[in-house]
Amino acid sequence: MTTRNIPIVLVSDFGHTDPFAGIVKGVILNICPNAQLVDLTHGIRPQDIFQGAFVLYRSFGFFPKGSIFCAVVDPGVGSQRAPIAIKTRNYYFVGPDNGLLWPAASADTIETCVCLDRPEFCLEQISTTFHGRDIFAPIAAWIRMGTPLHLLGRTMACPNEFKFPVPKLESQGMILTVLGRDRFGNLTLNLKSQEFESGFSALFSLEFKGVKITRVFETYEQAPKDIFFVLAGSAGFMEVALKNSSAARMLKADVLDRFLLKSRREPE
Amino acid sequence: MTTRNIPIVLVSDFGHTDPFAGIVKGVILNICPNAQLVDLTHGIRPQDIFQGAFVLYRSFGFFPKGSIFCAVVDPGVGSQRAPIAIKTRNYYFVGPDNGLLWPAASADTIETCVCLDRPEFCLEQISTTFHGRDIFAPIAAWIRMGTPLHLLGRTMACPNEFKFPVPKLESQGMILTVLGRDRFGNLTLNLKSQEFESGFSALFSLEFKGVKITRVFETYEQAPKDIFFVLAGSAGFMEVALKNSSAARMLKADVLDRFLLKSRREPE
Amino acid sequence: MTTRNIPIVLVSDFGHTDPFAGIVKGVILNICPNAQLVDLTHGIRPQDIFQGAFVLYRSFGFFPKGSIFCAVVDPGVGSQRAPIAIKTRNYYFVGPDNGLLWPAASADTIETCVCLDRPEFCLEQISTTFHGRDIFAPIAAWIRMGTPLHLLGRTMACPNEFKFPVPKLESQGMILTVLGRDRFGNLTLNLKSQEFESGFSALFSLEFKGVKITRVFETYEQAPKDIFFVLAGSAGFMEVALKNSSAARMLKADVLDRFLLKSRREPE
């Protein structure tokens, strides 16, 4: 094996019970039989573009340069929203132009974007309900085979933007928003770990529904039991956690909920 | 890489929590180290041969010619039901002879069928409870290695048939049956989209538990909110859907439930 | 394709909804682009080292010799617990030194164990919360590339031991413990099938919460409906089962629950 096997990475809201993700792989292998296929996850909540965009954004940089991301969270399938492919500095992104690809693609610097309007590169019959199978899978496979983007569709100015909420400074403190919630119940806030460390050090309070969080730890294990705390999460953002338990469940907090962060002058 | 890498496609009711699907892959890779392994899904409901057969039927045609489907939904494991392998016009199917393989295999035209009675092609110890690991996985791997079917077992006349319910014309209208229910809550009916379009056009009513559905749309997005509608689903059958919601949950409908389809003379 | 493609096998409590398992694969493919990646399962209950250890123990022997197991169930991530790699007679195991790897590795005979203290083989930034990505994934990839263990870290005497409970002979009978519970609701007991067969034959009673089980069958299908029974499970241990239903749910039994096994002199 001499060729470097560039992966096609799949992310979607197909779930793992229906055969949709499997069918997408079948279509890709029909065109590119030796593709290295990787599931990022198919567990995005149905039609949750926000979650899909965040998962893609926090993950893409760990994949080999040249990787092709085929992302499908597509409530507008078959409608006016364009199917697109983007070439960024290091990667390719294929999916609907509904914001899903934007945070990852723009973070890597968008070089080219095309609207996928060439049926000769798609399945013979294009349904109105499953473009993951009929358009995005074959296009990802053709990109993997070396087809340049300009052959796959006409160039577009720019895909639709989609931005995560940013911290908001208000009189009572800084409003932070939950960007993600993982299986362990950790809540990812929209505050970069570096910003937290430079701006707040050990004296802060983070409030949510009357609960006040004032402790920061480096690892889950260092934390005492039954005390909410923050730590620098693996996505580069601050997280709210609860040792051996679920902060999300115990706080009844979820994505898009807001926390209030304040500096404290003195230890409590 | 010069050889076309024919995939082995797995579908089962193993779930994704136990190591069963992973073990099956280990056994295959022991025999055929470079196999391209694809999970169609392991989320078939435990022992639900109907669901497994429908998932396989609606999916197989999207895989490369030569693909080997290893399908395990096998409540009769270890009993009299035969373990079989089928060669069809374009594919191979390996699994229990309980109807699971029939709809897909017969749709592609069965050419040969063998009863897997040669222990030398199976694991050394054949358990009575996990033929997916002990028989079907190694057989799929040997087929992938080029072993002809007649070496893997004695030829059988024909596997057991299994047919999905077909639409039934009764005095009050046409009785349709739900064949599938997906993660999004869409309900797949046993009426091909072409038959619907040629026979019913825009004037129809579809009834279930007192709910009357009279609208058809081309895409999910075109539909108004909170109104059940039908559309041509991606499996080639009509589907009942509800925009940004779950028709199955809101109708309390599931696989094998029946809908009544009537023509209407005039718009309501 | 001439090289034998040795798989890297992943097992974790990452779940299938978050992108953690996918990110781990991205990191591996960055170092070893042609790796054959196999998911054993990512459905281990969060932080359940016992379940992870049992799943790995019952599965590893079905994989090709040389396979590299990357196992991550790691509540102590970032703390004093060492990240380790083990070479056994036939396999490699990479993960935290918290007992997770012990039952599988020791069953295959441990030859070398190293503490992974060489950051040059890890990601540039090592987080305190995701060593699966930052340490275990790249180390597994470097082992796959042929890097000898002694270059990856300093040799350790022995990893931490972790032993499953063994049957305990008490005055009233033999106390058995549930080691596993699968999707079908079968309960795996800590009694090897051979020991059951040689010691108890057909005259036994197995008791749990007032329920008395006295029947043994070879297959699920042979059993009558609605009667709990035991059979030789596919992991080599006796299992408690209920035909076409879930013994675990109907008995309200789970991992670590105890059953009492007695010999009977006469048929009941």
Side-chain angles (χ1 to χ4, degrees), chain A residues 77-114:
Chain A
V77 58
S79 72
Q80 295 305 315
R81 72 95 190 86
I84 58 173
I86 303 173
K87 187 183 174 340
T88 65
R89 193 176 295 161
N90 299 293
Y91 300 101
Y92 294 90
F93 296 89
V94 180
D97 186 20
N98 60 13
L100 178 66
L101 311 178
W102 175 265
S106 63
D108 196 50
T109 309
I110 296 176
E111 296 187 344
T112 323
C113 179
V114 298

Coordinates of all heavy atoms in Angstrom, one line a residue, chain A residues 77-114:
Chain A
V77 N -33.9 19.4 3.1 CA -33.6 18.6 1.9 C -34.6 18.7 0.8 O -35.8 18.6 1.1 CB -33.4 17.1 2.4 CG1 -34.6 16.5 3.0 CG2 -33.0 16.2 1.2
G78 N -34.1 18.8 -0.4 CA -35.0 18.9 -1.6 C -35.6 20.3 -1.8 O -36.2 20.5 -2.9
S79 N -35.3 21.2 -0.9 CA -35.9 22.6 -1.1 C -34.9 23.5 -1.7 O -33.9 23.0 -2.4 CB -36.3 23.1 0.3 OG -35.1 23.4 1.0
Q80 N -35.0 24.8 -1.6 CA -34.2 25.8 -2.2 C -32.7 25.7 -1.7 O -31.8 26.2 -2.4 CB -34.7 27.2 -2.0 CG -36.1 27.4 -2.7 CD -36.0 27.1 -4.2 OE1 -35.1 27.5 -4.9 NE2 -37.0 26.3 -4.7
R81 N -32.5 25.3 -0.5 CA -31.2 25.3 0.1 C -30.2 24.6 -0.8 O -30.6 23.5 -1.3 CB -31.1 24.8 1.5 CG -31.3 23.3 1.7 CD -30.0 22.5 1.7 NE -30.2 21.1 1.6 CZ -30.2 20.4 0.5 NH1 -30.2 21.1 -0.7 NH2 -30.3 19.1 0.5
A82 N -29.1 25.1 -1.1 CA -28.2 24.5 -2.1 C -27.4 23.4 -1.5 O -27.0 23.4 -0.3 CB -27.2 25.6 -2.6
P83 N -27.1 22.3 -2.3 CA -26.1 21.3 -1.9 C -24.7 21.9 -2.3 O -24.6 22.4 -3.4 CB -26.5 20.1 -2.7 CG -27.3 20.6 -3.8 CD -27.8 22.0 -3.5
I84 N -23.8 21.9 -1.4 CA -22.5 22.5 -1.7 C -21.3 21.6 -1.3 O -21.4 20.7 -0.6 CB -22.3 23.9 -0.9 CG1 -22.4 23.6 0.6 CG2 -23.3 24.9 -1.4 CD1 -22.1 24.9 1.4
A85 N -20.1 22.0 -1.9 CA -18.8 21.4 -1.5 C -17.9 22.6 -1.3 O -17.9 23.5 -2.1 CB -18.3 20.5 -2.6
I86 N -17.1 22.5 -0.3 CA -16.1 23.6 0.0 C -14.7 23.0 0.1 O -14.5 22.0 0.7 CB -16.5 24.2 1.4 CG1 -17.9 24.7 1.5 CG2 -15.5 25.3 1.8 CD1 -18.4 25.2 2.9
K87 N -13.8 23.7 -0.5 CA -12.4 23.4 -0.3 C -11.8 24.5 0.7 O -12.0 25.7 0.5 CB -11.6 23.5 -1.6 CG -10.2 23.0 -1.4 CD -9.3 23.0 -2.6 CE -7.9 22.7 -2.3 NZ -7.5 22.8 -0.9
T88 N -11.3 24.0 1.8 CA -10.6 24.9 2.7 C -9.1 24.7 2.6 O -8.6 24.0 1.8 CB -11.1 24.7 4.2 OG1 -10.6 23.4 4.6 CG2 -12.6 24.8 4.3
R89 N -8.4 25.4 3.5 CA -6.9 25.3 3.4 C -6.5 23.9 3.4 O -5.6 23.5 2.6 CB -6.3 26.1 4.5 CG -4.8 26.3 4.2 CD -4.2 27.2 5.3 NE -4.7 28.6 5.2 CZ -4.6 29.5 6.2 NH1 -4.0 29.1 7.4 NH2 -5.1 30.7 6.1
N90 N -7.0 23.1 4.3 CA -6.6 21.7 4.5 C -7.6 20.6 4.2 O -7.2 19.4 4.3 CB -6.1 21.5 5.9 CG -4.9 22.5 6.3 OD1 -3.8 22.3 5.8 ND2 -5.2 23.5 7.1
Y91 N -8.8 20.9 4.0 CA -9.8 19.9 4.0 C -10.9 20.2 2.9 O -10.9 21.2 2.3 CB -10.6 19.8 5.4 CG -9.7 19.5 6.5 CD1 -9.2 20.5 7.4 CD2 -9.2 18.2 6.7 CE1 -8.4 20.2 8.4 CE2 -8.4 17.9 7.8 CZ -7.9 18.8 8.6 OH -7.1 18.5 9.7
Y92 N -11.8 19.2 2.8 CA -13.0 19.4 2.0 C -14.2 19.1 2.8 O -14.2 18.3 3.7 CB -13.0 18.3 0.8 CG -11.9 18.6 -0.2 CD1 -10.7 17.9 0.0 CD2 -12.1 19.4 -1.3 CE1 -9.7 18.1 -1.0 CE2 -11.1 19.5 -2.3 CZ -9.9 18.9 -2.1 OH -8.9 19.1 -3.0
F93 N -15.3 19.9 2.6 CA -16.5 19.7 3.3 C -17.7 19.7 2.3 O -17.8 20.5 1.4 CB -16.8 20.9 4.2 CG -15.8 21.0 5.3 CD1 -14.6 21.8 5.2 CD2 -16.0 20.4 6.5 CE1 -13.7 21.9 6.2 CE2 -15.0 20.5 7.6 CZ -13.9 21.2 7.4
V94 N -18.5 18.6 2.4 CA -19.7 18.4 1.5 C -20.9 18.4 2.3 O -21.0 17.7 3.4 CB -19.5 17.1 0.7 CG1 -20.6 16.9 -0.2 CG2 -18.1 17.1 0.0
G95 N -22.0 19.0 1.9 CA -23.2 19.0 2.7 C -24.2 20.1 2.2 O -23.9 20.8 1.2
P96 N -25.3 20.3 3.0 CA -26.2 21.3 2.6 C -25.7 22.7 3.1 O -25.0 22.8 4.0 CB -27.5 20.9 3.5 CG -26.9 20.2 4.6 CD -25.7 19.5 4.2
D97 N -26.1 23.7 2.3 CA -25.7 25.1 2.6 C -26.7 25.7 3.7 O -27.4 26.7 3.4 CB -25.7 25.9 1.4 CG -25.1 27.3 1.6 OD1 -24.4 27.5 2.6 OD2 -25.4 28.2 0.8
N98 N -26.7 25.1 4.8 CA -27.6 25.6 5.9 C -26.9 26.0 7.1 O -27.5 26.1 8.2 CB -28.7 24.5 6.2 CG -28.0 23.2 6.7 OD1 -26.8 23.2 7.1 ND2 -28.8 22.2 6.8
G99 N -25.6 26.2 7.0 CA -24.8 26.7 8.1 C -24.0 25.6 8.8 O -23.0 25.8 9.5
L100 N -24.4 24.3 8.5 CA -23.8 23.2 9.2 C -22.3 23.1 9.0 O -21.5 22.8 9.9 CB -24.4 21.9 8.5 CG -23.9 20.5 8.9 CD1 -24.2 20.3 10.4 CD2 -24.5 19.4 8.0
L101 N -21.8 23.5 7.8 CA -20.4 23.4 7.4 C -19.6 24.6 7.8 O -18.4 24.6 7.9 CB -20.2 23.2 5.9 CG -21.0 22.0 5.3 CD1 -20.8 22.0 3.8 CD2 -20.7 20.7 5.9
W102 N -20.3 25.7 8.0 CA -19.7 27.0 8.2 C -18.6 27.1 9.3 O -17.5 27.5 9.0 CB -20.7 28.1 8.3 CG -20.1 29.5 8.6 CD1 -19.9 30.0 9.8 CD2 -19.5 30.3 7.6 NE1 -19.2 31.2 9.6 CE2 -19.0 31.4 8.3 CE3 -19.4 30.3 6.2 CZ2 -18.3 32.5 7.7 CZ3 -18.8 31.3 5.6 CH2 -18.2 32.4 6.3
P103 N -19.0 26.8 10.5 CA -17.9 27.1 11.6 C -16.6 26.3 11.3 O -15.6 26.9 11.5 CB -18.7 26.6 12.9 CG -20.1 26.7 12.6 CD -20.2 26.4 11.1
A104 N -16.7 25.0 10.9 CA -15.5 24.3 10.7 C -14.8 24.8 9.4 O -13.6 25.1 9.5 CB -15.8 22.8 10.5
A105 N -15.5 25.0 8.4 CA -14.9 25.4 7.1 C -14.2 26.8 7.2 O -13.1 27.0 6.8 CB -15.9 25.4 6.0
S106 N -15.0 27.7 7.9 CA -14.4 29.1 8.0 C -13.2 29.1 8.9 O -12.3 29.9 8.7 CB -15.5 30.1 8.4 OG -16.0 29.8 9.6
A107 N -13.2 28.3 10.0 CA -12.1 28.2 10.9 C -10.8 27.7 10.1 O -9.7 28.1 10.5 CB -12.4 27.3 12.0
D108 N -11.0 27.0 9.1 CA -9.8 26.5 8.3 C -9.6 27.3 7.1 O -8.6 27.0 6.3 CB -10.1 25.0 7.9 CG -8.8 24.3 7.5 OD1 -7.8 24.4 8.3 OD2 -8.7 23.7 6.4
T109 N -10.3 28.4 6.9 CA -10.2 29.3 5.8 C -10.7 28.7 4.5 O -10.1 27.8 3.9 CB -8.7 29.8 5.6 OG1 -8.2 30.3 6.8 CG2 -8.7 30.9 4.5
I110 N -11.9 29.2 4.1 CA -12.5 28.8 2.8 C -11.8 29.3 1.6 O -11.5 30.5 1.5 CB -14.0 29.3 2.8 CG1 -14.8 28.6 4.0 CG2 -14.6 29.0 1.4 CD1 -16.2 29.1 4.1
E111 N -11.4 28.4 0.7 CA -10.8 28.7 -0.6 C -11.7 28.8 -1.7 O -11.7 29.7 -2.6 CB -9.6 27.8 -0.8 CG -8.5 27.9 0.3 CD -7.2 27.2 -0.1 OE1 -7.3 26.3 -1.0 OE2 -6.2 27.4 0.6
T112 N -12.5 27.7 -1.9 CA -13.5 27.6 -3.0 C -14.8 27.0 -2.4 O -14.8 26.2 -1.5 CB -13.0 26.6 -4.1 OG1 -11.6 26.8 -4.2 CG2 -13.7 26.9 -5.4
C113 N -15.9 27.4 -3.0 CA -17.2 26.8 -2.7 C -18.0 26.7 -4.0 O -18.0 27.6 -4.8 CB -17.9 27.7 -1.7 SG -19.5 27.0 -1.3
V114 N -18.5 25.4 -4.2 CA -19.3 25.2 -5.4 C -20.7 24.7 -5.0 O -20.9 24.1 -4.0 CB -18.7 24.2 -6.4 CG1 -17.3 24.7 -6.9 CG2 -18.5 22.8 -5.7

